[in-house]
Amino acid sequence: MKPSDVRRSAESVTSPLRVDGGRLWRSLMELASIGATPKGGVRRLALTDVDRQGRDLVVGWLKQTGSRVEIDGAGNIFATRPGRDPAASVVLTGSHIDTQPSGGKFDGNYGVLAGLEVLRTLNDSNVATEKPVGVAIWTNEEGSRFVPVMGGSGAFAGVFTLEHLRSQRDADGVSFGEALERIGYAGGAPVGKRALDAYFEAHIEQGPILEREDKTIGVVTGALGLRWYDCVWTGQDAHAGPTPMEARLDALRGASRFVEAVYALALRHAPEGRATVGVMHVSPNSRNVVPGRVSMTVDMRHPDDSSLAAMDAELRAASITIALELRLECELRQVDQVRASRFDASCIDAVRTATRMLGYPHREMVSGAGHDAIYVARVAPTSMIFVPCKDGISHNEIEDVRPEHLEAGANVLLHAVLARAGRSRAGN
Ligand SMILES: [Zn+2]
């Protein structure tokens, strides 16, 4: 035996437990074949036949791990691997397997199959835990067939009622409840009322930061709060030729200044503050008419609710100042609000500690997108693990992730779960 071999075998005795990255990748590719699109993406809308096929496949895998599988009235699926302490609450992980109409292979699916890979790894290594370890599949996270988004986890967390969720209809008039029953996933377990010790969700970042900074793991500390606004600027239509400049009531001039004000206020709250004007309708939208009316939207986000409130105040002040200066009317109306989430400090720490122990380059970050974890965080200690995705692109068939990053994220998940669930001495 060479000295290097001795060192290697010594390492294998002391090195931390690892998932099987190849097996995780193969499972992801097999699930992605259900609803596969010609361009390499996935179309698996919630509660369709392909969703049932995907659920059947993953439920079969979960059952093969020896876990008990329960389904609740919202179609959420819970697989539980028992712990040694029968009174302990479950340490849960998971995500969703529904996709956007032209979605990718990894959004949601990764979090569920990383959880499955954790269960498989614990079994392979004969590791017992004090607390049970579970994997959840949440129904209709994407919200593309049925609104609200994050429907299953929202009902679980009591954000809205099961009745409300079941009564929602898709574009063809089919209700959530009918669709759920048709695919055979309207379960008998109560929605919510399930004590969780903790919830961890692994997910692709869906943004460019980790890739740009060459980091493998994002330790997610919370999610941005959000406010949506509709805004209408009203002046007066007038002929572009005869109307002198000083006599104009040009709604687009007001809207343009407002766009600049929106950017300026977001930059004052950078790097965490974000603001977007994504829609603008100019009326009458004619080359030789001074625009008399402009309607537009504003989307503002910040991880801290008090900063978001400050941004709101600045936005309103800007609309009033610009309207007065240009003698326009401005109607600014907030149409939606989601408060910021701060994840649980001990769960964040479990992710951070696992990442450091495994030696992965990482950074702390907040999620800019919605996730099931954001609703689960309202009822249980929660945090998330992000891995980079190519060019930060998701909700797109070209969504792509490097296998070694998926493996790294699953290893972090494994050790965060183990830290929380307590590795039982007698087990290994
Ligand atoms: Zn997702």
Side-chain angles (χ1 to χ4, degrees), residues 88-384:
S89 301
V90 63
V91 177
L92 189 67
T93 180
S95 192
H96 60 95
I97 63 167
D98 66 315
T99 75
Q100 291 286 332
S102 52
K105 303 182 191 78
F106 305 100
D107 180 356
N109 298 289
Y110 170 55
V112 171
L113 297 186
L116 169 70
E117 182 54 37
V118 166
L119 298 187
R120 287 172 164 173
T121 303
L122 295 177
N123 283 354
D124 290 351
S125 308
N126 201 23
V127 173
T129 53
E130 286 300 318
K131 298 170 189 169
V133 174
V135 177
I137 306 174
W138 305 105
T139 302
N140 187 48
E141 191 271 350
E142 296 290 1
S144 52
R145 183 176 177 198
F146 298 101
V147 174
V149 295
M150 308 185 288
S153 53
F156 179 87
V159 177
F160 35 78
T161 64
L162 177 60
E163 291 65 39
H164 174 75
L165 186 63
R166 284 183 56 96
S167 66
Q168 301 305 307
R169 294 187 181 276
D170 69 6
D172 298 324
V174 180
S175 77
F176 182 102
E178 289 158 7
L180 184 60
E181 272 149 33
R182 203 184 63 80
I183 67 160
Y185 273 89
V191 178
K193 303 182 182 69
R194 186 176 292 266
L196 306 184
D197 177 80
Y199 178 70
F200 295 102
E201 182 168 342
H203 207 283
I204 59 170
E205 181 198 345
Q206 302 181 282
I209 295 169
L210 292 175
E211 186 182 60
R212 203 169 60 200
E213 298 185 3
D214 205 15
K215 301 278 198 272
T216 305
I217 298 293
V219 177
V220 187
T221 56
L224 301 182
L226 164 158
R227 293 196 193 204
W228 279 356
Y229 304 84
D230 285 346
C231 181
V232 180
W233 292 87
T234 309
Q236 195 168 51
D237 297 358
H239 197 300
T243 316
M245 297 311 289
E246 74 278 4
R248 296 178 181 209
L249 301 174
D250 185 335
L252 183 55
R253 192 178 175 208
S256 308
R257 276 209 197 166
F258 194 53
V259 172
E260 271 309 308
V262 166
Y263 265 81
L265 82 86
L267 288 169
R268 282 197 293 279
H269 293 271
E272 292 174 307
R274 280 159 210 174
T276 305
V277 175
V279 172
M280 189 179 279
H281 295 292
V282 179
S283 175
N285 210 29
S286 171
R287 183 190 298 271
N288 56 353
V289 180
V290 175
R293 186 176 192 276
V294 175
S295 63
M296 60 198 286
T297 60
V298 182
D299 169 317
M300 296 205 305
R301 302 179 192 225
H302 200 287
D304 177 63
D305 280 325
S306 60
S307 297
L308 195 54
M311 290 169 74
D312 173 84
E314 291 172 37
L315 185 76
R316 290 176 192 283
S319 73
I320 292 165
T321 307
I322 295 166
L324 278 174
E325 256 177 50
L326 302 180
R327 295 171 293 132
L328 299 169
E329 273 176 46
C330 177
E331 187 202 335
L332 178 65
R333 199 163 57 89
Q334 185 179 306
V335 291
D336 204 356
Q337 176 169 12
V338 179
R339 52 177 214 265
S341 343
R342 282 243 176 256
F343 288 151
D344 176 78
S346 65
C347 287
I348 296 167
D349 199 50
V351 171
R352 189 189 292 122
T353 304
T355 305
R356 282 195 185 134
M357 187 263 291
L358 293 160
Y360 297 128
H362 62 282
R363 64 163 285 158
E364 309 222 338
M365 59 197 306
V366 290
S367 172
H371 294 292
D372 292 308
I374 290 164
Y375 279 158
V376 178
R378 298 191 183 188
V379 292
T382 294
S383 70
M384 292 186 77

Side-chain angles (χ1 to χ4, degrees), residues 35-79:
T37 61
K39 286 186 191 161
V42 180
R43 178 190 174 91
R44 203 185 311 118
L45 297 184
L47 309 185
T48 55
D49 285 332
V50 281
D51 186 16
R52 175 179 54 205
Q53 289 169 36
R55 286 164 174 257
D56 289 350
L57 178 67
V58 181
V59 165
W61 284 336
L62 289 165
K63 283 182 173 163
Q64 280 168 18
T65 67
S67 301
R68 184 180 76 245
V69 173
E70 296 166 275
I71 300 162
D72 75 11
N76 296 318
I77 298 166
F78 299 93

